[in-house]
Amino acid sequence: MYTAFFKMASWWECLAGYDLIEWAKTMIMAHALISFVLYIAILLYDGELKRNIFSVGSGRPVLLITAHPDDECMFFSPFLLSATRQEGAHSTDVHVLCLTNGNFYGQGKVREKEIIQSCEILGIPADHVSVINNSRLPDDPNALWDTGTLESQLFAAVNRIQPQHIVTFDDYGVSGHANHITVSKAIRNIFRDGKNFKGVESVLYLESISVWRKYLGILDLPFTFLLSSHTCLLSPAHVLRGQRAMVAHRSQLEWFRMVYIVLSRYMVVNSFTAEHRTVPLPVER
């Protein structure tokens, strides 16, 4: 008994004498080294990475649905650049539906042009970009969107494009913006119905993460790979391309967005949760 007590006392003295600041520095440096080595290893392996993502390059379109101009590059550029960089038989036909023109500060017309420029940088032609300007779907976090109008716009886009997969926000919408959340919930509810969005095989929801992870950049890679199964990671060249797309939204370039462009993990890596159709697709006769 006394031997055990003295051992515990000795262990506590060693711990108390250890410099916690030095310990923290060591842990931070070790984490940064692991993240850097992991990133380099992935780049050497395949230049970029799409891990367990749906069948991109299957020949059928993919539809990204967002709420505002700049969402496509601010949050989804790793996915879009991973999808559009393929060529030939493995190319992906990517479409973007933006449910508002971002007119909260009266800049809607300007922002409609900016999203076209941004998508072209990301490899998406102008005729694959649709921007909705409807008074019942205002760019306003405090406004409730009309459910009927929202669903009619979603159905119209899906029926026209006939995508195999839909990509959108999750139920927190990355930043907690009410418009992001409304888009996610509407798509989730329709997809789970089983009778609607015919032909859509799966929906990928962009994972919302904590603020402290959000600004880690590539330092978030160990957490992403441990906690997420569907991921897209960009090479440095494509990260710069995503940043160029963000700069195309000149009307939005305030200082905090410049910080976001440089530090945000969403400019380097995307991770998703996937929901697959449980009701069998109708057989064509």
Side-chain angles (χ1 to χ4, degrees):
M1 177 177 177
Y2 290 108
T3 303
F5 174 79
F6 284 119
K7 284 184 178 180
M8 289 180 63
S10 177
W11 175 84
W12 176 254
E13 287 175 0
C14 291
L15 181 63
Y18 192 79
D19 190 334
L20 292 181
I21 294 178
E22 289 300 319
W23 178 84
K25 288 180 180 179
T26 301
M27 294 300 294
I28 291 171
M29 290 178 64
H31 178 79
L33 180 62
I34 291 170
S35 300
F36 182 75
V37 170
L38 180 61
Y39 187 55
I40 295 299
I42 292 168
L43 297 183
L44 291 175
Y45 172 71
D46 192 28
E48 291 177 358
L49 181 72
K50 294 186 293 294
R51 185 176 63 146
N52 297 335
I53 209 73
F54 53 62
S55 53
V56 173
S58 64
R60 291 186 55 198
V62 173
L63 175 60
L64 170 66
I65 302 177
T66 66
H68 314 102
D70 77 9
D71 288 346
E72 80 290 339
C73 57
M74 193 170 187
F75 304 116
F76 294 94
S77 59
F79 164 72
L80 290 175
L81 286 167
S82 295
T84 58
R85 77 185 182 96
Q86 302 171 100
E87 297 179 355
H90 300 289
S91 63
T92 302
D93 192 14
V94 180
H95 294 251
V96 174
L97 172 66
C98 185
L99 288 163
T100 77
N101 67 349
N103 199 42
F104 188 68
Y105 294 108
Q107 299 174 309
K109 295 300 181 183
V110 172
R111 299 192 69 184
E112 287 180 23
K113 296 177 181 177
E114 290 174 345
I115 189 176
I116 297 297
Q117 296 170 353
S118 170
C119 284
E120 287 180 345
I121 293 171
L122 295 171
I124 304 166
D127 61 354
H128 283 194
V129 182
S130 301
V131 180
I132 306 302
N133 180 17
N134 190 303
S135 60
R136 295 186 177 183
L137 304 176
D139 172 17
D140 186 344
N142 299 312
L144 293 176
W145 283 5
D146 179 75
T147 302
T149 303
L150 175 58
E151 289 188 355
S152 68
Q153 295 293 343
L154 292 173
F155 283 128
V158 171
N159 290 338
R160 174 173 54 86
I161 298 168
Q162 298 183 13
Q164 183 175 8
H165 310 285
I166 291 175
V167 180
T168 192
F169 295 103
D170 67 4
D171 286 346
Y172 183 71
V174 178
S175 60
H177 196 294
N179 297 160
H180 298 179
I181 295 170
T182 301
V183 171
S184 174
K185 288 184 175 180
I187 294 170
R188 192 184 295 274
N189 290 338
I190 295 171
F191 185 66
R192 286 179 176 176
D193 189 329
K195 299 177 182 178
N196 302 308
F197 283 172
K198 291 181 180 179
V200 177
E201 296 180 4
S202 63
V203 179
L204 260 69
Y205 302 97
L206 182 67
E207 288 184 331
S208 298
I209 56 175
S210 60
V211 173
W212 67 269
R213 284 183 60 192
K214 188 175 179 179
Y215 291 96
L216 284 178
I218 66 168
L219 297 182
D220 188 60
L221 282 183
F223 302 115
T224 297
F225 276 70
L226 285 173
L227 301 174
S228 304
S229 57
H230 297 275
T231 56
C232 297
L233 176 68
L234 292 182
S235 66
H238 282 87
V239 170
L240 291 174
R241 191 169 163 187
Q243 292 174 344
R244 281 177 50 218
M246 190 66 189
V247 171
H249 292 276
R250 296 185 183 279
S251 66
Q252 306 303 300
L253 289 183
E254 300 184 49
W255 69 268
F256 56 88
R257 284 196 175 87
M258 298 302 294
V259 172
Y260 180 95
I261 289 173
V262 174
L263 298 180
S264 176
R265 169 257 203 197
Y266 286 99
M267 300 298 295
V268 182
V269 62
N270 282 163
S271 60
F272 299 90
T273 57
E275 187 170 15
H276 302 283
R277 177 174 290 279
T278 56
V279 176
L281 294 174
V283 178
E284 295 183 3
R285 296 182 183 278

